Amino acid sequence: MQTIRGFRDILPEHISLWQKVEREAFALFESFGFKEIRIPVLEKTDLFARSIGETTDIVEKEMYTFADRKGGHLTLRPEATASICRSYIQHKMYATDPLRKFYMTGPMFRRERPQKGRYRQFYQIDAEVFGVESAYIDAELIFLLNELFKRLGLTGLTAHVNSLGCPECRPSFQRALLDFLGEKKEALCENCTRRIQKNPLRILDCKVETCQRALQGAPATIDHLCPACDDHFAIVRTTLKKQGVEFMVDKSLVRGLDYYTRTAWEIKTTTLGAQSAVAGGGRYDGLVKELGGPATPAIGFAIGFDRLVEVMEQLEIASPPPPLDLFIIALGDAAREQAYHWSCQLNQRGIRTEVDFREKSLKSLMKRADKLNAAHVLIAGENELKKNQLILRNMETKNQTSLSIDTLVPELLKILKS
Ligand code: HAM
């Protein structure tokens, strides 16, 4: 049996980087006042169709959707923002305290063509803020991402930032875009030709080469901002600059989901080939209302966890797991029974201890202690038990200490905790 295409196991030998990222990210989120939220993996299809947009690639081609037994359609979440919005509205969080900051991590599902950095089940680390219109929160989120990547030791990343405007400025931009596309219709792919009337902004995000070529010199949202969006974006830029957060304004960045308004950004790397975005986010000031809640400004981002770890591996950033404090070599049944109790007691007191209960020779168990990188080895053979004296070996200094069984656990605690 094999995993299905685009799905993969993340094996224990690779997990320490994942855990390091989680530790750093969650600590940073908590220090900025974010709280963890856990949301279902499965939602009604309509939630994603309405929020991500009917004419996006995700909704048109990539969702894992199936008919529920009792009717209706369910979808494996392709992202987290829609579900977090649904939760914010469902639990009327706006009524008790409209300002909420959430973070979460977990698997997302998109049926894309698998390649390096692109999977059908992939993981995101997601952060969302509800209830704040101020541009300082936009800057704060970009700063936070930048800070996280710095703490993780990442280099070679660039923040691409743009403003997509609001319903006020969109019509003027769409008119300009449609005028521009007027002469280029022939060059567009079938998908884009279909999208012209329904959702012209999506055309700017098309990956087909002929479309990309035809779109060179296309109008940009940033040149059609209303005064309020213009001011908002100016504050984001000056705040980041003052703080020394590096970024570039990227007029061509439109993001692949429909809900965005105003600030949108992506953090890109040059090390993963075509899959260059390690994180993406933006404002979605209209979504809570669109999904049935009160008008609530909102903003967030998601980090592509798999891609982030791949970039860290390429940069040879390591996170070795903490070594084993003690490996107990127990030879014979009587020794194994005693070792079982010692190990439980030591682990209860925070000493990382392992026993190998198989019937193996001293030599092969010493080899295992080396393999596990144990700091100390306790040898309990039949002779040692008879003499009531066990040998504790420091694997680094090779020093050996003799310990009495009667006071073994307290003695070990003293030595191993120091
Ligand atoms: P997104 O740009 O679709 O945004 O995804 C965010 C990140 O997830 C991408 O930058 C990428 O690193 C990673 N990613 C996406 N698809 C795959 C894949 N097939 N395999 C591996 N990694 C992938 C969102 O999902 C928005 N919900 C972000 C957001 C939160 N906006 C506001 N709040």
Side-chain angles (χ1 to χ4, degrees):
M1 299 288 271
Q2 299 278 313
T3 49
I4 49 182
R5 192 164 133 81
F7 289 64
R8 61 188 188 137
D9 302 313
I10 296 162
L11 300 175
E13 49 265 43
H14 293 288
I15 215 72
S16 63
L17 274 184
W18 290 74
Q19 291 173 334
K20 180 188 168 87
V21 172
E22 280 173 2
R23 274 195 308 273
E24 294 283 357
F26 297 173
L28 193 59
F29 289 146
E30 295 275 345
S31 105
F32 272 94
F34 287 74
K35 304 274 179 261
E36 188 181 348
I37 186 167
R38 299 192 187 190
I39 45 167
V41 171
L42 208 55
E43 299 266 7
K44 288 184 186 152
T45 304
D46 196 38
L47 172 66
F48 301 116
R50 276 173 61 188
S51 43
I52 300 169
E54 299 272 7
T55 44
T56 56
D57 281 353
I58 298 178
V59 172
E60 276 185 351
K61 302 188 261 187
E62 298 168 1
M63 295 204 303
Y64 282 94
T65 295
F66 57 89
D68 195 11
R69 287 190 192 192
K70 290 196 174 154
H73 284 88
L74 302 177
T75 295
L76 277 170
R77 64 179 182 204
E79 59 114 48
T81 312
S83 304
I84 297 177
C85 269
R86 194 251 325 117
S87 177
Y88 182 82
I89 299 165
Q90 180 176 337
H91 302 287
K92 296 195 173 58
M93 295 192 210
Y94 50 81
T96 45
D97 182 2
L99 199 178
R100 301 281 180 144
K101 298 179 178 183
F102 305 107
Y103 70 90
M104 64 82 61
T105 185
M108 309 293 157
F109 305 85
R110 295 184 193 174
R111 205 176 187 291
E112 294 187 78
R113 198 167 51 77
Q115 63 181 74
K116 187 167 174 53
R118 191 159 74 192
Y119 308 97
R120 290 180 170 179
Q121 175 176 332
F122 61 98
Y123 292 78
Q124 282 187 346
I125 298 177
D126 187 278
E128 312 287 349
V129 177
F130 290 85
V132 187
E133 198 186 352
S134 163
Y136 291 107
I137 205 80
D138 307 40
E140 190 178 89
L141 288 185
I142 297 168
F143 168 81
L144 192 157
L145 261 175
N146 192 57
E147 176 66 17
L148 174 64
F149 292 159
K150 218 160 61 184
R151 288 188 188 185
L152 293 171
L154 287 158
T155 49
L157 300 179
T158 322
H160 292 236
V161 185
N162 195 13
S163 177
L164 302 179
C166 67
E168 187 89 359
C169 23
R170 264 310 147 75
S172 132
F173 165 72
Q174 289 203 353
R175 268 195 306 276
L177 181 60
L178 287 174
D179 281 351
F180 173 85
L181 291 172
E183 309 139 30
K184 318 249 171 192
K185 275 185 190 143
E186 304 296 299
L188 298 179
C189 72
E190 208 180 299
N191 234 352
C192 286
T193 315
R194 195 167 42 80
R195 284 169 176 176
I196 282 188
Q197 288 313 321
K198 278 191 173 167
N199 195 352
L201 192 65
R202 280 279 64 81
I203 297 176
L204 296 177
D205 198 33
C206 181
K207 303 286 179 289
V208 175
E209 219 187 303
T210 45
C211 294
Q212 293 266 325
R213 239 179 290 131
L215 287 165
Q216 271 170 20
T221 49
I222 203 180
D223 299 322
H224 293 266
L225 297 181
C226 65
C229 287
D230 208 26
D231 286 350
H232 194 272
F233 194 42
I235 298 174
V236 177
R237 293 191 320 260
T238 25
T239 311
L240 290 173
K241 263 192 210 143
K242 264 193 199 158
Q243 225 176 353
V245 175
E246 281 182 35
F247 68 95
M248 58 176 281
V249 173
D250 183 347
K251 283 183 167 196
S252 66
L253 181 93
V254 290
R255 308 276 297 126
L257 305 93
D258 276 354
Y259 48 59
Y260 290 114
T261 53
R262 293 192 165 176
T263 319
W265 70 93
E266 267 175 18
I267 314 287
K268 299 198 181 191
T269 168
T270 45
T271 55
L272 287 181
Q275 303 316 312
S276 59
V278 211
R283 268 200 175 270
Y284 48 97
D285 290 342
L287 187 57
V288 175
K289 186 149 190 256
E290 168 65 31
L291 293 177
T296 308
I299 180 167
F301 64 77
I303 300 170
F305 206 158
D306 309 67
R307 289 186 197 173
L308 180 64
V309 168
E310 275 165 34
V311 174
M312 290 172 78
E313 279 169 353
Q314 282 190 1
L315 294 172
E316 294 182 5
I317 297 170
S319 176
L324 190 63
D325 295 318
L326 180 68
F327 183 72
I328 305 180
I329 293 184
L331 303 165
D333 278 342
R336 275 192 286 274
E337 188 195 344
Q338 299 253 50
Y340 163 82
H341 291 290
W342 297 329
S343 164
C344 291
Q345 286 171 36
L346 289 166
N347 274 300
Q348 274 181 325
R349 288 165 181 78
I351 303 291
R352 299 164 60 92
T353 309
E354 241 191 276
V355 193
D356 182 336
F357 292 107
R358 297 172 302 173
E359 278 185 38
K360 295 271 176 185
S361 69
L362 175 64
K363 196 172 152 202
S364 83
L365 289 171
M366 276 309 275
K367 265 198 199 146
R368 187 160 180 88
D370 270 336
K371 193 173 149 194
L372 295 175
N373 201 15
H376 290 83
V377 171
L378 182 74
I379 302 169
E382 280 171 11
N383 272 344
E384 283 82 6
L385 287 194
K386 258 188 226 147
K387 283 195 252 162
N388 193 20
Q389 289 292 322
L390 305 188
I391 295 160
L392 180 72
R393 184 178 165 89
N394 182 318
M395 297 294 276
E396 200 190 319
T397 62
K398 311 283 181 232
N399 280 348
Q400 303 212 137
T401 322
S402 191
L403 298 174
S404 155
I405 293 181
D406 308 329
T407 53
L408 185 72
V409 172
E411 281 296 316
L412 281 172
L413 283 172
K414 234 192 282 164
I415 299 170
L416 299 176
K417 279 207 162 159
S418 67

